[in-house]
Amino acid sequence: MTQSRKGVKNEARVIEQYCSVCKKTFDMEVVEEAEKNDVLWLKCPGCDGFLPYMVESEEGDDKVDEPGENQQEIAPEDFSAEDKENSLEYDKSMIYKTDDIIYHRSWNDYGKVIARETLPGNRKTILVNFGHQGKIRLLEGEG
Ligand SMILES: [Zn+2]
């Protein structure tokens, strides 16, 4: 019987990615795979920084909607003018709180902090529900 498995974990994967810190493109090692399979973490060989990498679904998997989850999808229009005025521009050296409104300049996107999490290596992250990008994990308190 042949089993087809989605993730091969015993092999280092490398993804070519641009580092905005080094201003160069590197082949970066995948250091961690998020459980939900939507964000990978890449390690930049230039600055040793960790970069989130958005995985695009190649297999066209059906979206699994989990009813009963009380975190609603956020649309761009859900952010009021007041939200935007009070938003904090994303900076990885900053520390954010749950429910903070974040503005991500590179993506021109507003998001709400829905969770905070500390990764192995004591890297702090926030999970942000963006209007356009959806839920994305970002680093905080770096540097
Ligand atoms: Zn770098």
Side-chain angles (χ1 to χ4, degrees), residues 42-122:
L42 304 178
K43 187 176 185 190
C44 174
C47 62
D48 279 345
F50 286 74
L51 288 86
Y53 175 82
M54 256 45 77
V55 180
E56 283 168 35
S57 172
E58 295 165 9
E59 298 169 18
D61 281 352
D62 287 339
K63 263 194 184 171
V64 183
D65 282 323
E66 294 176 31
E69 203 181 332
N70 59 6
Q71 280 160 0
Q72 291 175 347
E73 295 295 313
I74 287 188
E77 56 268 23
D78 288 338
F79 295 97
S80 65
E82 200 187 335
D83 284 340
K84 292 179 180 181
E85 209 170 284
N86 295 328
S87 67
L88 304 161
E89 191 172 322
Y90 173 66
D91 181 327
K92 69 186 167 90
S93 66
M94 298 270 288
I95 299 281
Y96 299 94
K97 299 191 299 289
T98 307
D99 289 340
D100 276 351
I101 305 294
I102 304 272
Y103 173 65
H104 198 295
R105 186 189 286 272
S106 311
W107 303 332
N108 189 24
D109 204 0
Y110 291 90
K112 187 177 193 177
V113 180
I114 54 177
R116 304 180 67 228
E117 195 183 345
T118 304
L119 295 181
N122 209 25

Side-chain angles (χ1 to χ4, degrees), residues 12-73:
R13 292 171 59 199
V14 166
I15 294 177
E16 191 179 86
Q17 176 77 336
Y18 177 77
C19 175
S20 58
V21 177
C22 302
K23 308 235 185 297
K24 277 170 78 173
T25 300
F26 292 100
D27 287 332
M28 297 191 192
E29 191 182 330
V30 176
V31 291
E32 189 168 342
E33 297 199 33
E35 278 176 25
K36 284 197 171 173
N37 222 20
D38 48 1
V39 181
L40 296 176
W41 289 93
L42 304 178
K43 187 176 185 190
C44 174
C47 62
D48 279 345
F50 286 74
L51 288 86
Y53 175 82
M54 256 45 77
V55 180
E56 283 168 35
S57 172
E58 295 165 9
E59 298 169 18
D61 281 352
D62 287 339
K63 263 194 184 171
V64 183
D65 282 323
E66 294 176 31
E69 203 181 332
N70 59 6
Q71 280 160 0
Q72 291 175 347
E73 295 295 313

